[in-house]
Amino acid sequence: MTTGTEETTLTIDELAARAGMTVRTVRFYGTKGLLPPPVLGPRRVGHYGREHLARLALIEELQQQGMTLAAIERYVQQLPPDLDAHDLAIHRAVVASWAPDVVETVTRPELERRAGRSLGDDDVERLAAMGVVKPDDGGDGYRVDLGLLRLGVGLLDVPLSQEAILAARKVLIEHSRSAAHELAQLFRGEVSERAEQDVKSLSAHMQPLVVQALLTTFQRSLREELRDWLGGVSEEGRSA
């Protein structure tokens, strides 16, 4: 459900279903301080928003990276308290960049459980077109890229055509590969005369910094482009 300002509000059951977790797990995270308290509505029913869902996604990503609950608590406590769902998604993207490529074969019910929602045939077809899932040749299951699943599921609710999403994917892949190649060339020139151990150490330190720099730069550039575009649309509306 949504409010008049289109802000998503969920009951704890809906939040757990969207996050692919049990209500008990969500409550547990709340008692640990990993989730901010819900907004209490009529009859003291708690309502959760997009920030809660984004925090659960971040916690899940940290768990997949092998972090203990205590380490996750320390990580979350260091985050600024006023982060919105968009900022939390950026944090999760940085964490997810370290995840190894994992492809598993799952059944349709398991696919929906991992997605945190029911999926119609059209949804599965869109996920397949995005390269997130692929029907298993040997049976009724699906080969799923777990690193892309949550992103693909999120795109199901974006009001863009399938053609636009695929075109955007192509642009991102092409420019990401180009940036990665040029950065690799730059770093290769810097470390060409160094010992192998120094090269490995530099790579380990630079990769998270480069990933965060790319995400931050892209985020700000996209925000400026959207601001200019929306400003132009407003000007056209006033002149009309």
Side-chain angles (χ1 to χ4, degrees), residues 211-230:
V211 169
Q212 188 154 9
L214 286 171
L215 284 169
T216 302
T217 302
F218 178 76
Q219 177 189 12
R220 292 177 179 175
S221 298
L222 183 60
R223 186 181 299 159
E224 291 174 2
E225 289 288 335
L226 291 175
R227 186 185 302 121
D228 293 342
W229 173 60
L230 292 175

Side-chain angles (χ1 to χ4, degrees), residues 43-172:
R43 301 180 182 178
R44 297 187 61 79
V45 175
H47 292 285
Y48 300 81
R50 294 177 182 175
E51 289 79 9
H52 295 91
L53 191 60
R55 280 184 179 269
L56 289 177
L58 175 60
I59 292 169
E60 182 183 40
E61 196 66 57
L62 293 170
Q63 285 181 322
Q64 291 179 357
Q65 293 296 318
M67 291 182 65
T68 64
L69 180 61
I72 293 175
E73 288 183 51
R74 289 193 297 270
Y75 183 97
V76 173
Q77 287 171 358
Q78 292 173 0
L79 296 176
D82 58 345
L83 291 183
D84 60 16
H86 177 77
D87 296 324
L88 290 165
I90 295 295
H91 274 272
R92 180 182 173 275
V94 173
V95 174
S97 68
W98 289 99
D101 295 336
V102 178
V103 177
E104 291 186 9
T105 301
V106 299
T107 62
R108 179 67 171 265
E110 177 63 12
L111 174 61
E112 295 187 347
R113 190 190 72 79
R114 297 288 185 96
R117 57 184 282 181
S118 60
L119 299 171
D121 291 340
D122 289 344
D123 294 329
V124 175
E125 288 179 7
R126 294 190 72 189
L127 291 174
M130 287 186 276
V132 178
V133 305
K134 180 181 179 182
D136 184 29
D137 295 334
D140 297 330
Y142 297 89
R143 299 273 294 166
V144 184
D145 187 328
L146 298 180
L148 294 176
L149 180 58
R150 190 175 291 275
L151 172 61
V153 171
L155 286 172
L156 294 177
D157 297 325
V158 175
L160 289 174
S161 68
Q162 184 70 15
E163 292 74 15
I165 291 175
L166 295 179
R169 178 176 181 267
K170 181 179 179 181
V171 169
L172 288 172

Side-chain angles (χ1 to χ4, degrees), residues 187-196 198-199:
F187 296 146
R188 188 176 292 116
E190 288 290 313
V191 302
S192 59
E193 302 299 326
R194 301 191 185 187
E196 180 181 355
D198 291 338
V199 174

Side-chain angles (χ1 to χ4, degrees), residues 29-40:
Y29 288 151
T31 61
K32 287 292 184 179
L34 298 177
L35 285 179
V39 176
L40 294 180

